[in-house]
Amino acid sequence: MALAEAARRAGVTLHEDCPVREIELAGGRARGVVTERGSEPADVVVLAAGAWSRGIAGIPPRFVPPVRPIKGQMLALRMDPAAPLLHHVVWLPRGYLVPRRDGGW
């Protein structure tokens, strides 16, 4: 919420709950987006779709982020914040552990 409010105060127009279907390019630069509501020109386009970024058309292959959504389950465990068992992300063959500063995983 704070980021959205700061963006609005800086003159940014946000279109919430409006998925982007395609990024429009002109001269090798992003010039706008296409949504279900139509085409929206823009001076700056920020790709912030996270793991779903690869599903947006119009992104040149060399700029497609190497991410993908992963479905699964999350298990939250608590550890002593004063003596955490982990201080960094641990990657496993089928998952990963993310320590939290408040003692959670």
Side-chain angles (χ1 to χ4, degrees):
M1 297 296 281
L3 180 58
E5 183 58 29
R8 285 186 187 97
R9 288 182 183 179
V12 173
T13 302
L14 299 176
H15 299 277
E16 300 181 75
D17 300 316
C18 185
V20 171
R21 294 182 178 168
E22 181 178 352
I23 294 178
E24 293 182 317
L25 302 175
R29 295 184 52 91
R31 298 294 184 197
V33 297
V34 177
T35 71
E36 62 189 23
R37 298 176 190 163
S39 181
E40 288 285 340
D43 295 327
V44 176
V45 174
V46 176
L47 180 62
W52 291 268
S53 296
R54 296 175 65 89
I56 298 174
I59 302 171
R62 69 180 184 274
F63 294 121
V64 174
V67 295
R68 63 184 171 88
I70 297 176
K71 293 183 180 182
Q73 300 295 318
M74 183 184 130
L75 171 66
L77 303 173
R78 184 144 318 277
M79 49 184 178
D80 182 355
L85 298 173
L86 296 174
H87 297 279
H88 59 279
V89 175
V90 176
W91 292 94
L92 305 166
R94 295 182 53 120
Y96 53 95
L97 304 174
V98 180
R100 306 285 186 206
R101 290 184 186 163
D102 67 356
W105 282 27

